[in-house]
Amino acid sequence: MLEVKQWYQSKTVWGAVIAMAAPLLKHVGVEMGLAEQADLADALATLAGALGGVLAIYGRVKATRSIGPGAGRN
């Protein structure tokens, strides 16, 4: 694994969250099969990645200081 991504872009993380939530949802009348859980995990990972991109662009547009060499060093 050479590619690095944020935790919220991981289908595995979303799959685990959904797998934990599915039994709880069953108690309120919502049932999801494995295929629905996988589809939902894929959709949430895609949505989270898109929202992350939008947030990054928004942050750069609203920034009051420029980015330059040595940024972040004290």
PDB file of all heavy atoms in Angstrom, residues 15-42:
ATOM      1  N   GLY A  15     -17.488   0.854   5.922  1.00  0.00           N
ATOM      2  CA  GLY A  15     -18.086  -0.476   6.014  1.00  0.00           C
ATOM      3  C   GLY A  15     -18.191  -0.941   7.453  1.00  0.00           C
ATOM      4  O   GLY A  15     -19.211  -1.510   7.865  1.00  0.00           O
ATOM      5  N   ALA A  16     -17.150  -0.675   8.235  1.00  0.00           N
ATOM      6  CA  ALA A  16     -17.166  -1.053   9.652  1.00  0.00           C
ATOM      7  C   ALA A  16     -18.226  -0.269  10.417  1.00  0.00           C
ATOM      8  O   ALA A  16     -18.953  -0.829  11.247  1.00  0.00           O
ATOM      9  CB  ALA A  16     -15.792  -0.832  10.265  1.00  0.00           C
ATOM     10  N   VAL A  17     -18.335   1.022  10.144  1.00  0.00           N
ATOM     11  CA  VAL A  17     -19.344   1.853  10.802  1.00  0.00           C
ATOM     12  C   VAL A  17     -20.746   1.341  10.467  1.00  0.00           C
ATOM     13  O   VAL A  17     -21.604   1.196  11.345  1.00  0.00           O
ATOM     14  CB  VAL A  17     -19.184   3.335  10.402  1.00  0.00           C
ATOM     15  CG1 VAL A  17     -20.378   4.166  10.861  1.00  0.00           C
ATOM     16  CG2 VAL A  17     -17.885   3.899  10.966  1.00  0.00           C
ATOM     17  N   ILE A  18     -20.964   1.047   9.203  1.00  0.00           N
ATOM     18  CA  ILE A  18     -22.276   0.558   8.767  1.00  0.00           C
ATOM     19  C   ILE A  18     -22.552  -0.820   9.363  1.00  0.00           C
ATOM     20  O   ILE A  18     -23.666  -1.104   9.795  1.00  0.00           O
ATOM     21  CB  ILE A  18     -22.364   0.537   7.234  1.00  0.00           C
ATOM     22  CG1 ILE A  18     -22.324   1.979   6.713  1.00  0.00           C
ATOM     23  CG2 ILE A  18     -23.618  -0.177   6.756  1.00  0.00           C
ATOM     24  CD1 ILE A  18     -22.045   2.086   5.236  1.00  0.00           C
ATOM     25  N   ALA A  19     -21.529  -1.675   9.398  1.00  0.00           N
ATOM     26  CA  ALA A  19     -21.708  -3.009   9.972  1.00  0.00           C
ATOM     27  C   ALA A  19     -22.081  -2.926  11.451  1.00  0.00           C
ATOM     28  O   ALA A  19     -22.861  -3.733  11.949  1.00  0.00           O
ATOM     29  CB  ALA A  19     -20.437  -3.835   9.790  1.00  0.00           C
ATOM     30  N   MET A  20     -21.527  -1.930  12.143  1.00  0.00           N
ATOM     31  CA  MET A  20     -21.883  -1.745  13.555  1.00  0.00           C
ATOM     32  C   MET A  20     -23.276  -1.137  13.700  1.00  0.00           C
ATOM     33  O   MET A  20     -23.997  -1.446  14.638  1.00  0.00           O
ATOM     34  CB  MET A  20     -20.849  -0.853  14.257  1.00  0.00           C
ATOM     35  CG  MET A  20     -19.498  -1.510  14.423  1.00  0.00           C
ATOM     36  SD  MET A  20     -18.311  -0.514  15.347  1.00  0.00           S
ATOM     37  CE  MET A  20     -18.093   0.897  14.293  1.00  0.00           C
ATOM     38  N   ALA A  21     -23.647  -0.264  12.766  1.00  0.00           N
ATOM     39  CA  ALA A  21     -24.935   0.418  12.849  1.00  0.00           C
ATOM     40  C   ALA A  21     -26.098  -0.459  12.378  1.00  0.00           C
ATOM     41  O   ALA A  21     -27.223  -0.296  12.861  1.00  0.00           O
ATOM     42  CB  ALA A  21     -24.898   1.702  12.030  1.00  0.00           C
ATOM     43  N   ALA A  22     -25.839  -1.373  11.448  1.00  0.00           N
ATOM     44  CA  ALA A  22     -26.914  -2.183  10.867  1.00  0.00           C
ATOM     45  C   ALA A  22     -27.741  -2.938  11.917  1.00  0.00           C
ATOM     46  O   ALA A  22     -28.979  -2.905  11.852  1.00  0.00           O
ATOM     47  CB  ALA A  22     -26.351  -3.144   9.822  1.00  0.00           C
ATOM     48  N   PRO A  23     -27.119  -3.611  12.893  1.00  0.00           N
ATOM     49  CA  PRO A  23     -27.939  -4.295  13.898  1.00  0.00           C
ATOM     50  C   PRO A  23     -28.782  -3.320  14.737  1.00  0.00           C
ATOM     51  O   PRO A  23     -29.898  -3.637  15.132  1.00  0.00           O
ATOM     52  CB  PRO A  23     -26.916  -5.011  14.788  1.00  0.00           C
ATOM     53  CG  PRO A  23     -25.688  -5.106  13.968  1.00  0.00           C
ATOM     54  CD  PRO A  23     -25.703  -3.911  13.070  1.00  0.00           C
ATOM     55  N   LEU A  24     -28.241  -2.135  14.981  1.00  0.00           N
ATOM     56  CA  LEU A  24     -28.994  -1.142  15.740  1.00  0.00           C
ATOM     57  C   LEU A  24     -30.177  -0.625  14.928  1.00  0.00           C
ATOM     58  O   LEU A  24     -31.269  -0.414  15.464  1.00  0.00           O
ATOM     59  CB  LEU A  24     -28.084   0.019  16.137  1.00  0.00           C
ATOM     60  CG  LEU A  24     -26.885  -0.341  17.023  1.00  0.00           C
ATOM     61  CD1 LEU A  24     -25.980   0.858  17.210  1.00  0.00           C
ATOM     62  CD2 LEU A  24     -27.353  -0.886  18.357  1.00  0.00           C
ATOM     63  N   LEU A  25     -29.952  -0.417  13.640  1.00  0.00           N
ATOM     64  CA  LEU A  25     -31.028   0.046  12.763  1.00  0.00           C
ATOM     65  C   LEU A  25     -32.143  -0.987  12.640  1.00  0.00           C
ATOM     66  O   LEU A  25     -33.308  -0.635  12.474  1.00  0.00           O
ATOM     67  CB  LEU A  25     -30.470   0.394  11.383  1.00  0.00           C
ATOM     68  CG  LEU A  25     -29.574   1.626  11.321  1.00  0.00           C
ATOM     69  CD1 LEU A  25     -28.944   1.759   9.945  1.00  0.00           C
ATOM     70  CD2 LEU A  25     -30.358   2.875  11.682  1.00  0.00           C
ATOM     71  N   LYS A  26     -31.777  -2.261  12.738  1.00  0.00           N
ATOM     72  CA  LYS A  26     -32.776  -3.326  12.639  1.00  0.00           C
ATOM     73  C   LYS A  26     -33.815  -3.206  13.752  1.00  0.00           C
ATOM     74  O   LYS A  26     -34.988  -3.509  13.551  1.00  0.00           O
ATOM     75  CB  LYS A  26     -32.083  -4.687  12.699  1.00  0.00           C
ATOM     76  CG  LYS A  26     -32.997  -5.845  12.440  1.00  0.00           C
ATOM     77  CD  LYS A  26     -32.232  -7.143  12.393  1.00  0.00           C
ATOM     78  CE  LYS A  26     -33.181  -8.287  12.105  1.00  0.00           C
ATOM     79  NZ  LYS A  26     -32.474  -9.567  12.054  1.00  0.00           N
ATOM     80  N   HIS A  27     -33.377  -2.719  14.900  1.00  0.00           N
ATOM     81  CA  HIS A  27     -34.296  -2.557  16.031  1.00  0.00           C
ATOM     82  C   HIS A  27     -35.333  -1.463  15.797  1.00  0.00           C
ATOM     83  O   HIS A  27     -36.381  -1.456  16.441  1.00  0.00           O
ATOM     84  CB  HIS A  27     -33.527  -2.261  17.322  1.00  0.00           C
ATOM     85  CG  HIS A  27     -32.826  -3.460  17.866  1.00  0.00           C
ATOM     86  ND1 HIS A  27     -33.487  -4.514  18.442  1.00  0.00           N
ATOM     87  CD2 HIS A  27     -31.513  -3.778  17.906  1.00  0.00           C
ATOM     88  CE1 HIS A  27     -32.612  -5.431  18.820  1.00  0.00           C
ATOM     89  NE2 HIS A  27     -31.397  -5.008  18.493  1.00  0.00           N
ATOM     90  N   VAL A  28     -35.050  -0.543  14.879  1.00  0.00           N
ATOM     91  CA  VAL A  28     -36.026   0.510  14.571  1.00  0.00           C
ATOM     92  C   VAL A  28     -36.733   0.245  13.244  1.00  0.00           C
ATOM     93  O   VAL A  28     -37.392   1.120  12.701  1.00  0.00           O
ATOM     94  CB  VAL A  28     -35.384   1.917  14.584  1.00  0.00           C
ATOM     95  CG1 VAL A  28     -34.903   2.273  15.973  1.00  0.00           C
ATOM     96  CG2 VAL A  28     -34.277   2.033  13.565  1.00  0.00           C
ATOM     97  N   GLY A  29     -36.547  -0.959  12.698  1.00  0.00           N
ATOM     98  CA  GLY A  29     -37.273  -1.359  11.505  1.00  0.00           C
ATOM     99  C   GLY A  29     -36.556  -1.170  10.183  1.00  0.00           C
ATOM    100  O   GLY A  29     -37.160  -1.347   9.138  1.00  0.00           O
ATOM    101  N   VAL A  30     -35.287  -0.808  10.210  1.00  0.00           N
ATOM    102  CA  VAL A  30     -34.521  -0.636   8.969  1.00  0.00           C
ATOM    103  C   VAL A  30     -33.605  -1.841   8.802  1.00  0.00           C
ATOM    104  O   VAL A  30     -32.741  -2.088   9.634  1.00  0.00           O
ATOM    105  CB  VAL A  30     -33.674   0.657   9.000  1.00  0.00           C
ATOM    106  CG1 VAL A  30     -32.846   0.786   7.735  1.00  0.00           C
ATOM    107  CG2 VAL A  30     -34.556   1.873   9.197  1.00  0.00           C
ATOM    108  N   GLU A  31     -33.819  -2.604   7.738  1.00  0.00           N
ATOM    109  CA  GLU A  31     -32.972  -3.769   7.495  1.00  0.00           C
ATOM    110  C   GLU A  31     -32.133  -3.545   6.249  1.00  0.00           C
ATOM    111  O   GLU A  31     -32.613  -3.054   5.239  1.00  0.00           O
ATOM    112  CB  GLU A  31     -33.828  -5.028   7.333  1.00  0.00           C
ATOM    113  CG  GLU A  31     -34.518  -5.423   8.626  1.00  0.00           C
ATOM    114  CD  GLU A  31     -34.918  -6.884   8.641  1.00  0.00           C
ATOM    115  OE1 GLU A  31     -34.232  -7.706   8.017  1.00  0.00           O
ATOM    116  OE2 GLU A  31     -35.931  -7.180   9.279  1.00  0.00           O
ATOM    117  N   MET A  32     -30.844  -3.894   6.349  1.00  0.00           N
ATOM    118  CA  MET A  32     -29.922  -3.771   5.220  1.00  0.00           C
ATOM    119  C   MET A  32     -29.191  -5.087   5.031  1.00  0.00           C
ATOM    120  O   MET A  32     -28.631  -5.621   5.985  1.00  0.00           O
ATOM    121  CB  MET A  32     -28.876  -2.681   5.487  1.00  0.00           C
ATOM    122  CG  MET A  32     -29.372  -1.288   5.328  1.00  0.00           C
ATOM    123  SD  MET A  32     -28.027  -0.097   5.339  1.00  0.00           S
ATOM    124  CE  MET A  32     -27.592  -0.076   7.061  1.00  0.00           C
ATOM    125  N   GLY A  33     -29.197  -5.563   3.801  1.00  0.00           N
ATOM    126  CA  GLY A  33     -28.421  -6.747   3.470  1.00  0.00           C
ATOM    127  C   GLY A  33     -26.974  -6.351   3.227  1.00  0.00           C
ATOM    128  O   GLY A  33     -26.611  -5.174   3.241  1.00  0.00           O
ATOM    129  N   LEU A  34     -26.142  -7.347   2.996  1.00  0.00           N
ATOM    130  CA  LEU A  34     -24.718  -7.080   2.762  1.00  0.00           C
ATOM    131  C   LEU A  34     -24.489  -6.220   1.528  1.00  0.00           C
ATOM    132  O   LEU A  34     -23.620  -5.345   1.524  1.00  0.00           O
ATOM    133  CB  LEU A  34     -23.947  -8.397   2.661  1.00  0.00           C
ATOM    134  CG  LEU A  34     -23.883  -9.224   3.939  1.00  0.00           C
ATOM    135  CD1 LEU A  34     -23.155 -10.540   3.679  1.00  0.00           C
ATOM    136  CD2 LEU A  34     -23.206  -8.447   5.048  1.00  0.00           C
ATOM    137  N   ALA A  35     -25.276  -6.445   0.483  1.00  0.00           N
ATOM    138  CA  ALA A  35     -25.119  -5.656  -0.745  1.00  0.00           C
ATOM    139  C   ALA A  35     -25.459  -4.187  -0.491  1.00  0.00           C
ATOM    140  O   ALA A  35     -24.743  -3.292  -0.947  1.00  0.00           O
ATOM    141  CB  ALA A  35     -25.996  -6.215  -1.857  1.00  0.00           C
ATOM    142  N   GLU A  36     -26.537  -3.940   0.251  1.00  0.00           N
ATOM    143  CA  GLU A  36     -26.914  -2.564   0.572  1.00  0.00           C
ATOM    144  C   GLU A  36     -25.864  -1.902   1.448  1.00  0.00           C
ATOM    145  O   GLU A  36     -25.552  -0.723   1.287  1.00  0.00           O
ATOM    146  CB  GLU A  36     -28.277  -2.511   1.269  1.00  0.00           C
ATOM    147  CG  GLU A  36     -29.443  -2.852   0.378  1.00  0.00           C
ATOM    148  CD  GLU A  36     -29.713  -4.350   0.289  1.00  0.00           C
ATOM    149  OE1 GLU A  36     -29.061  -5.139   1.002  1.00  0.00           O
ATOM    150  OE2 GLU A  36     -30.582  -4.727  -0.518  1.00  0.00           O
ATOM    151  N   GLN A  37     -25.302  -2.655   2.394  1.00  0.00           N
ATOM    152  CA  GLN A  37     -24.253  -2.112   3.253  1.00  0.00           C
ATOM    153  C   GLN A  37     -23.021  -1.729   2.441  1.00  0.00           C
ATOM    154  O   GLN A  37     -22.439  -0.667   2.648  1.00  0.00           O
ATOM    155  CB  GLN A  37     -23.869  -3.130   4.335  1.00  0.00           C
ATOM    156  CG  GLN A  37     -24.942  -3.348   5.376  1.00  0.00           C
ATOM    157  CD  GLN A  37     -24.539  -4.373   6.412  1.00  0.00           C
ATOM    158  OE1 GLN A  37     -23.372  -4.514   6.731  1.00  0.00           O
ATOM    159  NE2 GLN A  37     -25.509  -5.093   6.942  1.00  0.00           N
ATOM    160  N   ALA A  38     -22.641  -2.577   1.488  1.00  0.00           N
ATOM    161  CA  ALA A  38     -21.479  -2.289   0.648  1.00  0.00           C
ATOM    162  C   ALA A  38     -21.735  -1.074  -0.238  1.00  0.00           C
ATOM    163  O   ALA A  38     -20.845  -0.208  -0.382  1.00  0.00           O
ATOM    164  CB  ALA A  38     -21.143  -3.506  -0.215  1.00  0.00           C
ATOM    165  N   ASP A  39     -22.929  -0.973  -0.797  1.00  0.00           N
ATOM    166  CA  ASP A  39     -23.278   0.186  -1.627  1.00  0.00           C
ATOM    167  C   ASP A  39     -23.259   1.471  -0.807  1.00  0.00           C
ATOM    168  O   ASP A  39     -22.771   2.507  -1.261  1.00  0.00           O
ATOM    169  CB  ASP A  39     -24.650   0.003  -2.273  1.00  0.00           C
ATOM    170  CG  ASP A  39     -24.653  -1.047  -3.372  1.00  0.00           C
ATOM    171  OD1 ASP A  39     -23.567  -1.414  -3.863  1.00  0.00           O
ATOM    172  OD2 ASP A  39     -25.763  -1.499  -3.735  1.00  0.00           O
ATOM    173  N   LEU A  40     -23.799   1.407   0.397  1.00  0.00           N
ATOM    174  CA  LEU A  40     -23.826   2.580   1.259  1.00  0.00           C
ATOM    175  C   LEU A  40     -22.408   2.996   1.664  1.00  0.00           C
ATOM    176  O   LEU A  40     -22.081   4.187   1.672  1.00  0.00           O
ATOM    177  CB  LEU A  40     -24.687   2.312   2.493  1.00  0.00           C
ATOM    178  CG  LEU A  40     -24.879   3.475   3.462  1.00  0.00           C
ATOM    179  CD1 LEU A  40     -25.461   4.694   2.749  1.00  0.00           C
ATOM    180  CD2 LEU A  40     -25.768   3.060   4.625  1.00  0.00           C
ATOM    181  N   ALA A  41     -21.548   2.030   1.981  1.00  0.00           N
ATOM    182  CA  ALA A  41     -20.161   2.343   2.332  1.00  0.00           C
ATOM    183  C   ALA A  41     -19.449   3.014   1.170  1.00  0.00           C
ATOM    184  O   ALA A  41     -18.718   3.998   1.352  1.00  0.00           O
ATOM    185  CB  ALA A  41     -19.426   1.067   2.749  1.00  0.00           C
ATOM    186  N   ASP A  42     -19.657   2.513  -0.022  1.00  0.00           N
ATOM    187  CA  ASP A  42     -19.043   3.107  -1.221  1.00  0.00           C
ATOM    188  C   ASP A  42     -19.540   4.533  -1.423  1.00  0.00           C
ATOM    189  O   ASP A  42     -18.755   5.454  -1.683  1.00  0.00           O
ATOM    190  CB  ASP A  42     -19.372   2.244  -2.440  1.00  0.00           C
ATOM    191  CG  ASP A  42     -18.630   2.683  -3.685  1.00  0.00           C
ATOM    192  OD1 ASP A  42     -17.460   3.097  -3.571  1.00  0.00           O
ATOM    193  OD2 ASP A  42     -19.215   2.600  -4.783  1.00  0.00           O
TER     194      ASP A  42
END
